């Protein structure tokens, strides 16, 4: 018959292995819409956009909200934005270009489920799609 301490050691070891496995799944990096980490899907990052009705320098203004519906926080969120052209200034605390193709949300800080969405406005001839390029998932 196994000793009580031996059973606890085996259970502790099993719990440790399980926590390592869980951490490796939850902390995986999302590498684009086709290869999003198992803990979150690209569709968990919801981009809503609407025309505000304002016209800035002859271009319609759009209001954008980005919310995280994943149970895990997501940081280093990169969206495809093609440089985010706008005839009005865009709040760099909400979104800013990192190159000619991608923009980072909230300076890379985490976006949590249930937190207020990231909001910004821009004015351009046509609206952008802002699809997810990548994010770091934190469970």
């Amino acid at each position: 018959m196994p000793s009580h301490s031996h059973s606890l050691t085996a259970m502790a070891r099993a719990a440790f292995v399980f926590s390592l496995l869980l951490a490796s799944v939850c902390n995986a990096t999302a590498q684009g819409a086709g290869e999003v980490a198992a803990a979150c899907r690209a569709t968990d990052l919801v981009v809503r956009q609407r025309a505000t009705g304002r016209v800035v320098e002859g271009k319609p203004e759009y209001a954008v909200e980005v919310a995280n519906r994943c149970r895990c926080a997501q940081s280093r969120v990169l969206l495809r934005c093609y440089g985010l052209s706008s005839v009005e200034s865009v709040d760099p605390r909400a979104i800013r270009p990192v190159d000619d193709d991608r923009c980072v949300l909230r300076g890379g800080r985490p976006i949590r489920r249930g937190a207020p969405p990231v909001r910004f406005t821009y004015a351009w001839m046509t609206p952008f799609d802002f699809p997810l390029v990548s994010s770091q998932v934190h469970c």
Side-chain angles (χ1 to χ4, degrees), residues 123-138:
W124 197 242
M125 295 172 284
T126 57
F128 295 98
D129 290 335
F130 300 108
L132 177 66
V133 173
S134 64
S135 71
Q136 179 74 41
V137 178
H138 306 275

Side-chain angles (χ1 to χ4, degrees), residues 3-85:
S3 72
H4 182 67
S5 64
H6 179 68
S7 298
L8 288 177
T9 303
M11 288 189 332
R13 202 173 296 134
F16 177 72
V17 170
F18 177 75
S19 67
L20 285 177
L21 287 171
L22 184 61
S24 69
V25 169
C26 289
N27 289 326
T29 301
Q31 294 297 326
E35 302 174 21
V36 177
C40 296
R41 297 182 313 268
T43 56
D44 289 330
L45 198 72
V46 179
V47 179
R48 289 200 175 134
Q49 184 167 200
R50 64 175 178 78
T52 66
R54 287 188 61 216
V55 176
V56 181
E57 295 183 27
K59 311 282 191 282
E61 182 185 64
Y62 300 95
V64 181
E65 290 187 354
V66 183
N68 179 19
R69 291 198 177 153
C70 179
R71 63 183 175 82
C72 304
Q74 296 188 63
S75 66
R76 291 189 251 168
V77 176
L78 292 176
L79 303 177
R80 186 148 338 276
C81 67
Y82 303 105
L84 189 58
S85 299

Side-chain angles (χ1 to χ4, degrees), residues 83-104:
L84 189 58
S85 299
S86 179
V87 294
E88 70 179 348
S89 61
V90 178
D91 183 357
R93 293 169 300 173
I95 188 170
R96 68 177 167 74
V98 293
D99 57 32
D100 291 339
D101 191 44
R102 303 169 303 156
C103 289
V104 64

